[in-house]
Amino acid sequence: MLLPPLLALAAAWSYGQAQVILKQREVSITRGHKTTASMDCIAEGIPDFQYANIHWYRQVAAKAPERILYIGPSAVSYDDNAYRNKYSSSKKGTNVCTLTIKDINSNDVGSYYCAYWHSVTGYYNKVFGSGTKLIVSDKRSSPPKNSEILQTKHKNQIMYVCFIEKFYPEVITVTWTEDEKEVTDNVVKGDAWQATKEEEYSIASWLTVPAESEDKKYYCKYEHEGKSTSLPTQEDSVKTSQDEDCRTVFSRDQLMHRTAYLVYIILLLKSSMYNIILFFIFRMWAYTKHRGKKA
């Protein structure tokens, strides 16, 4: 499961060195069985794009990425002849490369990455796109049915919790921005969860800022299946809890799931319970060690 982050890291490093970046739609493509899906790779900084070799990789859980094909100036080359009836690729305009997958079935589930070898001062670096996840399901996609921001003050900090509920499929992009610039410091994003296997997904992301930033307007932005929405923090609809601390906010029913529970534990570790927890951990460790010696 570390491969997608590593690919993203390679992409970022290569972009910084070569000024080349490949953009892909990160949200999922959902289709029924026996249909065709297409995904685009938008290239920036590649000279003579029509003559460039663009590679496509497929990566499934617990396996390394596998190259499917690459498209050059005039033809597509396949790593396995069996792929010819399944995959095809084409270039559009000056910077778009498309991968098409035919007769989709459950075996096609995975993340698909475009890539490009680029020379920088005599060295070749492979630039990867961010990847597009393909989900094969008979269930129709549905955008979030509810989204809101909770706000709470704790000591000299303000925490904004952005809830996005009841959407399908689970792939969703959530970011925080201020003055149209993405905020990455003190941002935590949980994993999407289901209360039951039949229910749709929900997710939470939270931003912590200094109390003196109370008058600043932040936005929680999400993108799901091509739909984008921004929620501002400085609105009457934002739910505020002045008298509750962070632990109380995280005890709400919406956050009694695995992701929020982990963050709740982290908050406890940062609170006055820190020394008590460490004390009990030490006692348990000493007891186990003592029994080990006796054995």
Side-chain angles (χ1 to χ4, degrees):
M1 298 300 293
L2 292 176
L3 286 169
L6 290 176
L7 290 176
L9 179 61
W13 183 86
S14 298
Y15 170 62
Q17 295 292 321
Q19 298 300 307
V20 171
I21 190 170
L22 303 178
K23 295 182 178 180
Q24 292 183 252
R25 185 167 174 258
E26 296 180 0
V27 292
S28 68
I29 298 175
T30 307
R31 298 288 187 271
H33 295 258
K34 302 300 182 182
T35 58
T36 299
S38 295
M39 53 192 73
D40 290 337
C41 175
I42 302 173
E44 294 182 358
I46 298 180
D48 299 325
F49 175 76
Q50 290 296 331
Y51 294 93
N53 290 332
I54 304 297
H55 305 254
W56 283 96
Y57 288 79
R58 175 173 176 260
Q59 194 263 328
V60 297
K63 291 186 178 180
E66 175 191 14
R67 191 176 69 171
I68 300 170
L69 58 83
Y70 70 89
I71 178 171
S74 58
V76 177
S77 298
Y78 294 87
D79 284 50
D80 189 324
N81 286 330
Y83 294 157
R84 292 182 178 274
N85 295 326
K86 185 70 174 178
Y87 305 101
S88 61
S89 185
S90 62
K91 294 179 179 178
K92 298 181 294 185
T94 59
N95 68 339
V96 179
C97 183
T98 301
L99 175 70
T100 301
I101 309 171
K102 304 174 184 177
D103 297 326
I104 292 174
N105 57 64
S106 58
N107 293 326
D108 298 316
V109 172
S111 295
Y112 293 79
Y113 298 87
C114 58
Y116 169 69
W117 281 104
H118 186 57
S119 175
V120 182
T121 64
Y123 294 94
Y124 281 90
N125 300 313
K126 177 161 281 191
V127 183
F128 282 91
S130 57
T132 296
K133 185 174 183 179
L134 175 63
I135 296 175
V136 179
S137 173
D138 292 325
K139 185 176 180 179
R140 295 179 62 87
S141 63
S142 58
K145 295 176 181 172
N146 181 54
S147 56
E148 61 180 347
I149 294 179
L150 297 179
Q151 173 183 325
T152 185
K153 288 185 177 181
H154 180 63
K155 295 183 179 180
N156 60 343
Q157 293 181 324
I158 300 174
M159 177 177 287
Y160 298 108
V161 184
C162 182
F163 288 103
I164 305 165
E165 300 179 292
K166 297 182 179 180
F167 55 87
Y168 183 85
E170 71 270 27
V171 181
I172 190 169
T173 302
V174 183
T175 56
W176 288 90
T177 61
E178 179 198 4
D179 295 332
E180 299 183 355
K181 295 181 180 179
E182 183 176 353
V183 178
T184 56
D185 292 337
N186 300 314
V187 171
V188 179
K189 176 187 173 185
D191 296 326
W193 72 74
Q194 288 175 296
T196 67
K197 290 185 178 180
E198 290 74 25
E199 288 192 10
E200 294 153 316
Y201 290 86
S202 298
I203 199 169
S205 177
W206 38 116
L207 167 68
T208 304
V209 299
E212 54 265 28
S213 300
E214 183 177 13
D215 294 333
K216 292 184 178 180
K217 180 179 285 190
Y218 298 91
Y219 290 86
C220 173
K221 179 181 179 181
Y222 69 83
E223 180 181 1
H224 179 265
E225 286 287 304
K227 178 184 177 181
S228 297
T229 301
S230 292
L231 304 175
T233 56
Q234 300 298 329
E235 292 289 340
D236 294 337
S237 59
V238 176
K239 297 181 179 180
T240 303
S241 178
Q242 299 290 347
D243 299 326
E244 297 176 355
D245 65 11
C246 296
R247 289 168 291 176
T248 306
V249 170
F250 281 98
S251 68
R252 296 177 185 272
D253 290 341
Q254 302 103 312
L255 283 179
M256 293 305 292
H257 299 281
R258 179 177 61 86
T259 302
Y261 180 74
L262 292 176
V263 176
Y264 177 74
I265 295 299
I266 292 173
L267 290 174
L268 283 180
L269 289 173
K270 291 183 177 181
S271 72
S272 58
M273 295 293 292
Y274 180 80
N275 292 329
I276 299 175
I277 293 173
L278 285 181
F279 172 76
F280 279 104
I281 291 175
F282 176 79
R283 288 291 300 272
M284 292 174 63
W285 173 80
Y287 177 74
T288 304
K289 185 177 181 182
H290 178 67
R291 292 197 61 183
K293 287 182 177 180
K294 293 181 65 176

